[in-house]
Amino acid sequence: MDSSHVSALQLKHAGIERQIHEELSRPMPDAVVVQALKKRKLALKEEIGRF
């Protein structure tokens, strides 16, 4: 896989990290949303790790 694909995955990973941070900084963070975002982030991290 080329580096542009890995870069795109890293950008998505960073975006999800930002979404998690935004959700956690709310007065009443939604644990279900945070959990779903963390699962997506982990899946991306694993995909990046394959390259």
Side-chain angles (χ1 to χ4, degrees), residues 16-32:
I16 293 172
E17 180 68 36
R18 190 170 53 253
Q19 287 178 284
I20 291 170
H21 180 73
E22 288 173 10
E23 185 64 34
L24 290 175
S25 64
R26 291 177 45 196
M28 297 280 290
D30 187 334
V32 175

Side-chain angles (χ1 to χ4, degrees), residues 30-49:
D30 187 334
V32 175
V33 170
V34 173
Q35 186 73 21
L37 288 169
K38 285 183 176 184
K39 283 183 181 180
R40 284 176 46 204
K41 190 175 101 168
L42 180 60
L44 280 170
K45 184 178 179 180
E46 289 172 351
E47 189 173 345
I48 292 167

